[in-house]
Amino acid sequence: MTDPVTDAVDPRTYAEPVDLRPGYVQPVVDVPALRALLDGKYADERDLVRKNLAEHRQILLDGETMTTTEFRDRVRDVVVEMASTGQTGMGFPAEYGGGGDIGASVAAFETLAYGDLSVLVKVGVQFGLFGGAILQLGTKAHHDAYLADLITGKLMGCFAMTESGHGSNVQALGTTATYDVATQEFVITTPDDASRKDYIGNAAAHADVAAVFAQLEIDGEGRGVHAFVVPLRAGGEVLPGVRIEDCGHKMGLNGVDNGRIWFDGVRVPRANLLNQFADVTEDGVYESSIDNANRRFFTMLGTLVQGRVCVGGAGINASKVALTIATKYAARRRQFEASDPDQEQLLLDYGMHQRRLFPLLARTYALHFAQEYVAGALHDVFSGLTDDDQARRHLEARAAGTKVLGTWHATRTIQECREACGGAGYLSANRFTALKADTDVFTTFEGDNHVLLQLVAKGLLTDYSSEFEDMDQFGMVRFVAGLAVETVLERTSAHKLFQRIKDVLPGGDEWDQEAGLLDSNYHRAMLRFREEHMLGGVARRLKRGIDQGMNPGEVFSRVQDHVIGAARAHVERMVLDAFIEKTRTLPDGDQKVALSLLCDLHALSTIEADRAWFMEHGRLTTSRSKAISREVNDLCRKIRPLAVDYVDAFGVPPEMLRSEELLG
C-alpha cells in the first residue's frame, strides 16, 4: 500500500489520458521563459527581493514564537537590513540614495509579498506611504531634510491620515492645523476622539515623525486638508503634546505596530507644511497654483496613487503563494481508489479539484498582466513620460479597480487553497494561517473596495471630464443627469457596440450564438456588452431619478448597487483585455498555446460565473451556457499536465513555501 502523501510521484504526471479534441497537441512549458515573461523588465529587481526573502526565511517562524513586542522589533530590523540592499529605495531619486525608477519599486514591493506580510506592510508604511508623502507632497527642502535618512531606515515615520470617525471620507478629517502668525508655526490639535488618528502603522512603537493630514485654518478660515511633518518621538520617548496608544492585537500583521495618535496643541514650524500644491507665507497669506479647493484636494490625493497600485500587486502575489502550495500538494497527495484499485488517485486528477484551483490560477495570471499595465502607467505618469491630466485620471481609476479585484481575489483564492489542502492547510507551518490573516485587511487598505469602485464609476460616467476632481458622489448624480447622460448613452449605445462586434465576429445579430467559444473576440464582446449595458442603465436611472425631483443623495443610494456592478464589469473587461493583449504579443509556439489555455479559461469562467446576467439580457442561451461549462471542464483537463509548471513560473522561493509535510 502506498503512502498517500509521501509516495514519490512526478507532479507533472497525469494519471489518466486527457480527453483531447482531434488535432490538439499538448504544449511543453518552458518554465524559465514563462517566469521571465512574468517578471518582465524588472527581473533583476525581483530576484534581489527573492534573494533577500530567502536569507531572512527565519522570520516566517518568528511570528509564531516571539512575543508581539519582540516580533515588531524583528520586523523593523529586517526592513532596515533590506533597505541596505537598495530594494526598498528604488522609487526615490538617485541623489538621495534611491534607484530613480518607480516601476522597479512597484515590482520589488509586489515580490516582497511572497514572504512575511508584516515585513511587506512595514515597508509599505515606511517607504511607500510616509516616504511617498514626503516625496510627492513635499518640495526640495523636505527632500533634503528627510529622504536620505528615511530611505536607509535611520528615520522611521508613519502616515497619519485615517481617523476613527473619518475613514474613507478624507475631506471630513477633524484634526486641525491652525497657523499662528506671531510664531510662524502651525498648531496641530485633535479636537475629539473621533478625530484621533487611528490604525496608523509604525505609530505604536517605531515612528519618529509623522506625515499628518489635517484641516488647515488661517485666521479663522478653513483651507481644506493639507499634510504636515510632525515629530512624535525623540530618543524613543514620545514628545510633549503627543499621546500614542497601541491598537492592540489584530487579526493579522502583528509585526506592524499600529497605533492611535492624539495631538494637544503640538507646534511645528511653518516649513513643516508639505507645500508642493499650497503654501502659507510668513504673514499668513495662503498661496496655491490650484484655485479650486476640491481640485487641489484630489490632486494631492492623486499623487499617492502608488499605494493602491502596490496593495493590489501584493494581493495578487500572495495568491500566487497559496496557489503554488495547493497545486503542488494536489499533484502528490492521493485520496481514494477512484480509477485504480491498487493505488489511490492524485487530488489534482479529480475534475472538481481542477475546477476549484485552475480558474483561480487563470485569474491570477490575468490579474498579473493587468497589474503590469497599471504599474507601467504609474511609472510613465510619475516619471514625466506621460504628462496630461486625463492620463493621470485614467491611472487613478484603473489603479483603484485593479486593487479591488486583486485584493478580493486574494481573499477568495487563499481560502479555496486552504480548503483544497484539507486539515493540513490549517496548520501554521503550511502558511495559510498567516496568508489568510495578513491579507484580509488588504480589501480595506488604501480605500474600502466598494468606495474605490464608486471612484471607477465616477470616471466612467463623467468620461474623465475636467470636472472629475470637483465632484462628490452627489455632484456626479447631478452632472450625469444634467449634462452627461446623452454622452454616456451615445457612447454605450447598442447600435455602436453591435457594429463594433460585427466587424470582428461572424453571425450578424446572432454573434453571441455563432462565434466560437474559444474566440477571444467573442470573450471581449461579451464582457464589453455587459459593461456598456450596465453603464447605460446606470445613466438612465440617475437621470430618471433627478427628472422625478428626487434628492441626489437618495437617487445615488437607490442606484448604488448598479453603480458598483457597472464599475466591476468595466474592470473585469480591462483585466481580460490585458491578458489577451499579452498573449497576442507572444510568438507562435508552445508558450503561446500554454498561456492561451489560461486566457481562455479565465474568459469563459468569468462569463460562466455571471451566466444569469447574460441570460437575463438575452446574450446567452441555456444550450450555449452548458457548452461553456463543458469547455471550462475541457480546458481544466488540458491545463492539468501543465499546472505545476504554471505555478513554478511564479518563482516563489522554496524557503517561502515552508509546508514541508505538504510539499516534501
Side-chain angles (χ1 to χ4, degrees):
M1 186 75 175
T2 58
D3 184 276
V5 175
T6 60
D7 183 44
V9 60
D10 180 352
R12 295 171 180 81
T13 299
Y14 192 71
E16 300 178 23
V18 186
D19 180 17
L20 300 178
R21 295 179 180 179
Y24 174 76
V25 178
Q26 181 179 305
V28 176
V29 176
D30 182 339
V31 174
L34 185 54
R35 174 171 156 180
L37 179 71
L38 292 171
D39 281 355
K41 64 186 291 188
Y42 296 114
D44 290 343
E45 289 80 1
R46 293 183 191 275
D47 280 340
L48 172 62
V49 177
R50 289 183 176 108
K51 178 175 176 289
N52 286 335
L53 288 173
E55 289 178 356
H56 295 287
R57 65 179 71 90
Q58 178 61 33
I59 198 164
L60 294 179
L61 302 174
D62 291 340
E64 299 165 13
T65 59
M66 289 181 169
T67 66
T68 298
T69 299
E70 291 170 340
F71 187 50
R72 287 174 171 180
D73 289 346
R74 173 78 173 118
V75 168
R76 176 201 56 201
D77 293 344
V78 168
V79 168
V80 173
E81 288 179 42
M82 287 185 170
S84 68
T85 71
Q87 79 166 62
T88 59
M90 292 176 182
F92 293 100
E95 62 193 282
Y96 299 105
D101 191 327
I102 293 168
S105 71
V106 175
F109 186 83
E110 292 170 354
T111 310
L112 196 58
Y114 287 162
D116 178 80
L117 293 172
S118 284
V119 171
L120 171 115
V121 171
K122 190 86 164 178
V123 166
V125 168
Q126 169 70 12
F127 305 101
L129 295 178
F130 172 63
I134 299 296
L135 178 64
Q136 300 295 342
L137 302 182
T139 49
K140 189 175 187 302
H142 304 109
H143 300 168
D144 292 344
Y146 302 111
L147 285 186
D149 283 346
L150 76 83
I151 288 172
T152 63
K154 180 180 178 182
L155 177 73
M156 299 296 286
C158 64
F159 183 85
M161 176 184 280
T162 301
E163 295 179 356
S164 299
H166 310 96
S168 298
N169 189 6
V170 178
Q171 276 184 294
L173 292 179
T175 302
T176 59
T178 305
Y179 185 62
D180 185 341
V181 177
T183 62
Q184 295 183 25
E185 293 173 316
F186 294 102
V187 184
I188 313 297
T189 302
T190 304
D192 50 50
D193 278 348
S195 302
R196 69 186 181 187
K197 299 300 177 182
D198 210 345
Y199 320 115
I200 309 302
N202 263 7
H206 297 144
D208 302 304
V209 296
V212 176
F213 290 77
Q215 302 284 355
L216 173 60
E217 295 182 359
I218 305 173
D219 197 24
E221 182 178 1
R223 292 291 187 169
V225 174
H226 293 66
F228 304 81
V229 178
V230 181
L232 299 179
R233 292 180 175 88
E237 297 297 321
V238 177
L239 292 169
V242 177
R243 178 160 64 97
I244 297 177
E245 180 182 284
D246 199 313
C247 285
H249 196 269
K250 306 185 295 291
M251 183 174 175
L253 299 175
N254 283 296
V256 181
D257 50 316
N258 293 84
R260 304 183 180 99
I261 312 173
W262 292 257
F263 301 99
D264 184 11
V266 174
R267 290 178 172 267
V268 297
R270 185 176 64 90
N272 284 32
L273 168 66
L274 295 174
N275 60 343
Q276 177 65 240
F277 300 107
D279 207 350
V280 178
T281 66
E282 293 182 2
D283 54 356
V285 176
Y286 183 78
E287 299 176 338
S288 175
S289 59
I290 305 174
D291 293 333
N292 183 282
N294 276 344
R295 185 168 299 173
R296 185 166 57 246
F297 170 77
F298 284 109
T299 300
M300 176 187 72
L301 287 193
T303 64
L304 305 175
V305 69
Q306 184 170 340
R308 264 174 210 159
V309 175
C310 286
V311 170
I316 295 164
N317 272 22
S319 300
K320 295 175 186 176
V321 179
L323 281 164
T324 299
I325 295 170
T327 302
K328 286 176 172 285
Y329 175 65
R332 65 190 301 271
R333 174 72 156 104
R334 295 184 180 276
Q335 192 81 276
F336 302 110
E337 299 86 351
S339 58
D340 185 341
D342 299 321
Q343 182 172 243
E344 292 184 284
Q345 183 163 308
L346 292 169
L347 289 179
L348 208 53
D349 291 342
Y350 286 100
M352 190 62 223
H353 215 80
Q354 295 169 13
R355 267 282 193 162
R356 295 172 71 182
L357 296 181
F358 293 168
L360 296 175
L361 176 64
R363 190 173 180 86
T364 302
Y365 267 79
L367 286 165
H368 173 97
F369 294 122
Q371 171 71 8
E372 182 179 75
Y373 180 93
V374 172
L378 175 79
H379 177 84
D380 289 349
V381 167
F382 283 87
S383 299
L385 301 177
T386 302
D387 187 21
D388 67 85
D389 288 342
Q390 191 165 67
R392 192 175 286 260
R393 288 192 288 271
H394 274 284
L395 168 63
E396 291 169 14
R398 188 151 187 166
T402 306
K403 182 265 180 183
V404 168
L405 292 198
T407 55
W408 271 339
H409 176 68
T411 298
R412 178 188 171 198
T413 299
I414 292 166
Q415 176 63 27
E416 192 65 56
C417 289
R418 203 292 299 158
E419 292 184 27
C421 291
Y426 204 63
L427 302 178
S428 295
N430 296 326
R431 283 223 63 187
F432 289 107
T433 301
L435 284 171
K436 278 174 59 66
D438 291 345
T439 59
D440 201 71
V441 76
F442 285 10
T443 60
T444 305
F445 275 169
E446 294 295 322
D448 173 88
N449 280 355
H450 288 92
V451 174
L452 292 183
L453 284 178
Q454 290 177 191
L455 172 67
V456 174
K458 185 166 75 168
L460 292 170
L461 289 166
T462 61
D463 201 23
Y464 304 97
S465 71
S466 59
E467 293 86 359
F468 179 69
E469 300 97 332
D470 301 343
M471 290 179 283
D472 60 14
Q473 60 195 27
F474 308 125
M476 177 194 73
V477 174
R478 297 187 187 95
F479 181 88
V480 172
L483 298 174
V485 67
E486 297 304 327
T487 301
V488 172
L489 296 179
E490 171 68 13
R491 183 158 48 91
T492 62
S493 71
H495 173 75
K496 282 190 171 185
L497 173 63
F498 292 157
Q499 188 58 53
R500 290 199 302 271
I501 290 172
K502 289 176 185 178
D503 290 341
V504 295
L505 288 175
D509 291 336
E510 301 299 317
W511 60 269
D512 53 332
Q513 299 304 311
E514 299 296 326
L517 289 180
L518 298 181
D519 186 340
S520 60
N521 289 318
Y522 167 69
H523 303 156
R524 275 179 154 163
M526 288 289 277
L527 295 202
R528 173 70 77 174
F529 173 83
R530 181 180 64 170
E531 171 192 350
E532 299 199 1
H533 191 287
M534 293 183 79
L535 190 61
V538 169
R540 283 188 290 269
R541 290 183 66 191
L542 291 173
K543 178 173 173 55
R544 188 183 311 126
I546 292 296
D547 288 348
Q548 292 173 354
M550 293 174 60
N551 178 278
E554 185 179 355
V555 173
F556 181 82
S557 180
R558 290 190 177 190
V559 181
Q560 196 170 18
D561 62 327
H562 201 157
V563 169
I564 297 298
R568 184 163 187 168
H570 169 71
V571 181
E572 288 202 331
R573 192 265 303 165
M574 290 195 302
V575 169
L576 177 62
D577 281 351
F579 201 174
I580 290 173
E581 289 306 313
K582 177 59 70 171
T583 303
R584 286 180 175 175
T585 63
L586 297 179
D588 291 341
D590 280 10
Q591 293 290 85
K592 186 169 188 172
V593 173
L595 206 60
S596 295
L597 291 174
L598 287 176
C599 190
D600 290 341
L601 177 59
H602 170 66
L604 290 181
S605 58
T606 299
I607 295 169
E608 183 187 49
D610 206 13
R611 72 172 95 202
W613 188 94
F614 288 106
M615 287 180 172
E616 286 175 353
H617 294 83
R619 286 298 153 185
L620 193 62
T621 63
T622 55
S623 61
R624 194 165 179 88
S625 174
K626 292 176 182 178
I628 286 176
S629 292
R630 288 193 297 269
E631 195 68 58
V632 168
N633 288 337
D634 186 61
L635 286 166
C636 285
R637 287 191 291 272
K638 290 176 179 177
I639 286 167
R640 163 61 182 99
L642 312 174
V644 173
D645 289 335
Y646 287 129
V647 297
D648 280 346
F650 292 148
V652 181
E655 297 87 350
M656 295 300 98
L657 297 176
R658 294 180 68 186
S659 309
E660 292 181 8
E661 290 190 8
L662 291 186
L663 306 181

